[in-house]
Amino acid sequence: MATTTASITVSSGDLTGDALSLSTTATLTKAGSATGLDQTSGVARKFFATAQTAYNLIAAADYTADKAHKVYIKNTSTSNSEYVTVELSASPNLSIGRLYGGDWMFIPYDGNNDIDIDTSDVNMTVEYLVIYEA
Amino acid sequence: MASVRVTLGISSADVLTTALGLNVATTLTADSGTMIRAKVADTSGAGSGITVYKANDKDTSAYVYVNNLATEFEDYIYIYNDTDTDASVAKIAGGQFAFIPVAVDKTFKAYGTKVNQLIEYGVFGMDDPSNTLG
């Protein structure tokens, strides 16, 4: 059994009158179980020479539906104006949100819909990781 | 103008044959934000869930953090896009969290497996002064 943990820290010294600092850690386990997620796509990067529309980054067919998979996606651009729109495949696609340069997201993924992306500019790179179960 | 720093670490010594250690950070520009602990009264969507992000509350980009405080893995929190036909965005198990840059012009709500599940959620970004939460 593998053990994978995810930790997040949200902090700000100037958003509020007193400093904001929040940290939490989760052990990533299989659906309905205390057993750890035991498979991973590995950390991957994909370079896009041209702007993309509804590019299928993560295919639901590769993952068992209704499980407790986890997905991390990052826009590696350093430009604040270059963004990646992350979408759940549907008709039409459902926009989750935009990752501007340097932004990332970490979400649970049930494997029911493809995850597609649009890229706003040429020569953009997206980094992603799926941690999953059979 | 304030900034919020968000870091994510994903680590495992045994999900791969070599150690997995992914650490990313992003510094968000924000002039407003919330960090709220609340009960989720509803157990179905259809527009009745608790609002974790109201459409157009933020300008350009909005970042939503949701932590499911339930101790039972099976007590899920469901995040859905209330603007677009209640489409499901994430299913967060007890004890786990998500960090999602959301589409600023959509309303996102949450419901739980059980009534009155506790969540902690935060929203950060640049305020759109033409819209209020009321």
Side-chain angles (χ1 to χ4, degrees), chain A residues 1-15 20 22 24-33 37-40 42-43 68 70 72 74 88 94-100 102-108 110 127 129 131, chain B residues 1-16 20 22 24-26 28 30-33 35 60-61 63 65 67 73-74 76 81 84 87-92 95-103 106 108 120 124:
Chain A
M1 175 181 121
T3 301
T4 307
T5 59
S7 304
I8 190 169
T9 301
V10 180
S11 61
S12 177
D14 53 5
L15 182 66
L20 168 68
L22 179 149
T24 190
T25 297
T27 299
L28 308 184
T29 53
K30 295 181 179 179
S33 164
L37 295 176
D38 54 8
Q39 300 185 58
T40 179
V43 182
K70 301 293 182 293
Y72 153 82
K74 179 180 181 179
L88 286 175
L94 168 70
S95 172
I96 297 176
R98 290 179 177 180
L99 302 172
Y100 287 87
D103 282 350
W104 47 266
M105 66 191 298
F106 178 74
I107 59 170
D110 62 11
E127 183 175 271
L129 163 73
I131 303 172
Chain B
M1 185 80 69
S3 62
V4 179
R5 186 165 178 80
V6 185
T7 65
L8 174 72
I10 300 174
S11 63
S12 177
D14 50 9
V15 76
L16 293 170
L20 170 66
L22 176 73
V24 293
T26 187
L28 318 174
D31 64 0
S32 60
M35 186 61 78
T60 309
S61 56
Y63 302 87
Y65 160 78
N67 186 0
F73 186 94
E74 295 82 1
Y76 296 100
N81 181 331
D84 294 335
S88 177
V89 171
K91 178 182 174 183
I92 306 171
Q96 308 213 338
F97 61 83
F99 181 76
I100 313 170
V102 296
K106 312 292 184 184
F108 291 83
E120 195 170 67
F124 304 97

Side-chain angles (χ1 to χ4, degrees), chain B residues 97-125:
Chain B
F97 61 83
F99 181 76
I100 313 170
V102 296
V104 292
D105 59 346
K106 312 292 184 184
T107 292
F108 291 83
K109 294 189 174 184
Y111 66 91
T113 301
K114 295 179 178 175
V115 295
N116 293 335
Q117 282 182 231
L118 274 172
I119 63 169
E120 195 170 67
Y121 67 97
V123 179
F124 304 97

